[in-house]
Amino acid sequence: ENLAGESRRLGEDLIEPLWERFHDSDQAVQGDILYVLGVVGDGRIFARLASILNGPYPLQVKEAAKEAVDEISNTSMNFNDL
C-alpha cells in the first residue's frame, strides 16, 4: 500500500501480478488485493472490478471491490480538481 501510494508507476506495475494471483487466493487475500488495486487508483481496472461485483463472489469480496471502485473514483476526482 505504501509503495503504491508513493510511486504511481510502481503501483501500476503491481496491477497485473496482483490480478494474476486474485482468482487462486482465499477470500482474505482477495480482499487485500482489491484494497491495493483501489489504492493504486488506476481506472483501467474498472472492468475487472465490475466482473467481481457482478460475479459469483462472496459478499466480503464484493464489498472490497466496491470500496476499490469508490477509492479509484475519489482519486480520479481529486486529480481532476488540480
Side-chain angles (χ1 to χ4, degrees), residues 13 21 38 54:
D13 289 345
R21 289 166 179 77
N54 296 316

Side-chain angles (χ1 to χ4, degrees), residues 2-56:
N2 288 338
L3 293 174
E6 291 178 20
S7 171
R8 186 153 179 82
R9 175 73 179 140
L10 179 58
E12 291 171 355
D13 289 345
L14 291 173
I15 292 171
E16 290 307 320
L18 288 174
W19 187 252
E20 289 172 7
R21 289 166 179 77
F22 177 81
H23 297 288
D24 294 328
S25 300
D26 65 35
Q27 288 181 32
V29 174
Q30 287 178 333
D32 291 342
I33 288 171
L34 294 170
Y35 175 79
V36 171
L37 293 175
V39 170
V40 169
D42 193 320
R44 294 176 290 179
I45 65 166
F46 275 129
R48 295 177 187 184
L49 296 172
S51 73
I52 295 166
L53 291 170
N54 296 316

